[in-house]
Amino acid sequence: MATVSQWVAGARPRTLPNSIVPVAVGTGVAVGAGGAVWWKALLAAGVALALQVGVNYANDYSDGVRGTDTEERVGPTRLTAARLAAPRRVLSAAWVCFATAAALGLVLAATTAWWLVLVGAVSIVAAWFYTGGRRPYGYRALGEVSVFVFFGLVAVVGTVFVQVEGVPWQGWVAAVPVGLLSCSVLVINNLRDLGTDALTGKNTLAVRLGETGTRRLYAGCVGVAFACALAIAAASWWVALVLLAVPAAVPPVRRVMRGQTGRDLVAGLGETGRLQMVFGALFTAGLALGALS
């Protein structure tokens, strides 16, 4: 039976900035627009976190029962593949998280717009079929597209909408760098697992692009994220605060572009998460301070 610490590790805490940052940035846009509703922001954070942990457990289960997670794979604890927990328990944990996200989402829909129920349902379906089902799209090089859409566009724009019941142009533009940085987490993760994924038939985008192409993609996601964020500086120079996050981008980009592999990329994954958090905090502050411009 898995311990509490193993369940926590199986939830992959290093990926949680993917859910925290979009809600923070969306709330920054709402503050800048003069319409922040803090209890809705907290509910949106709860939805995002529950979906993130749910998809992590779902991936653990699906990859484990398929045999694409192996003992040779370097990375976070895998409850199913390492036989630390029965597959049905991991699957149950995933669906408890999805149910939690659905319950919190229903409150937001009931107090904002009922069509948000459809957005939530699509998000849960996408989370499951990333590695679940007979033809998971994560095995067909579509993982990054999904991450960009759901942890970028949907999360940021949705957070803005539930608070101000509209989306200013800054909300749409802000979603792009957030989505790109979320993609960078998946890219470095799949770069680390490139060899074993290729052997087990998990055709991620990294497998399709090859090692060199994947390393360039990672650097491109980070670089373009900064460029897109600065596009909003035309409306509020406060957004230029994101440039203070450049030092946090240097270590992981250098690590990836210098050809590091294995456990070195595990460290790079942590550095990418820290970059997300620093970038997200500065971006949120810049967007919120836009109300002063």
Side-chain angles (χ1 to χ4, degrees), residues 82-273:
R83 299 183 181 178
L84 296 172
R88 61 183 176 81
R89 290 186 179 273
V90 180
L91 179 61
S92 295
W95 282 103
V96 166
C97 291
F98 291 151
T100 300
L104 296 176
L106 281 173
V107 176
L108 284 173
T111 55
T112 308
W114 279 107
W115 58 262
L116 290 172
V117 172
L118 178 60
V119 176
V122 171
S123 298
I124 292 173
V125 169
W128 170 250
F129 285 103
Y130 174 57
T131 55
R134 293 184 178 181
R135 300 188 65 189
Y137 64 86
Y139 283 41
R140 291 184 284 165
L142 293 173
E144 283 77 5
V145 173
S146 177
V147 165
F148 180 81
V149 170
F150 290 100
F151 288 101
L153 298 179
V154 172
V156 175
V157 171
T159 298
V160 177
F161 182 81
V162 297
Q163 294 183 67
V164 302
E165 298 193 24
V167 185
W169 68 268
Q170 292 94 330
W172 293 99
V173 178
V176 175
V178 171
L180 287 172
L181 286 183
S182 291
C183 285
S184 72
V185 173
L186 182 58
V187 171
I188 194 171
N189 182 77
N190 288 343
L191 174 63
R192 181 198 66 208
D193 295 338
L194 196 156
T196 50
D197 283 343
L199 289 174
T200 56
K202 187 175 181 178
N203 292 313
T204 62
L205 185 58
V207 172
R208 297 281 181 89
L209 293 177
E211 183 176 335
T212 299
T214 303
R215 293 182 188 278
R216 289 174 178 170
L217 176 62
Y218 177 86
C221 285
V222 173
V224 175
F226 277 93
C228 289
L230 289 175
I232 303 179
S236 171
W237 66 269
W238 287 105
V239 176
L241 285 170
V242 295
L243 291 175
L244 295 176
V246 169
V250 172
V253 172
R254 179 187 294 150
R255 188 183 295 277
V256 168
M257 296 311 292
R258 287 184 175 179
Q260 293 187 6
T261 59
R263 295 195 180 277
D264 289 327
L265 291 180
V266 175
L269 181 60
E271 291 167 347
T272 303

Side-chain angles (χ1 to χ4, degrees), residues 276-290:
Q276 275 187 295
M277 292 299 285
V278 173
F279 183 101
L282 292 167
F283 198 24
T284 299
L287 290 163
L289 290 169

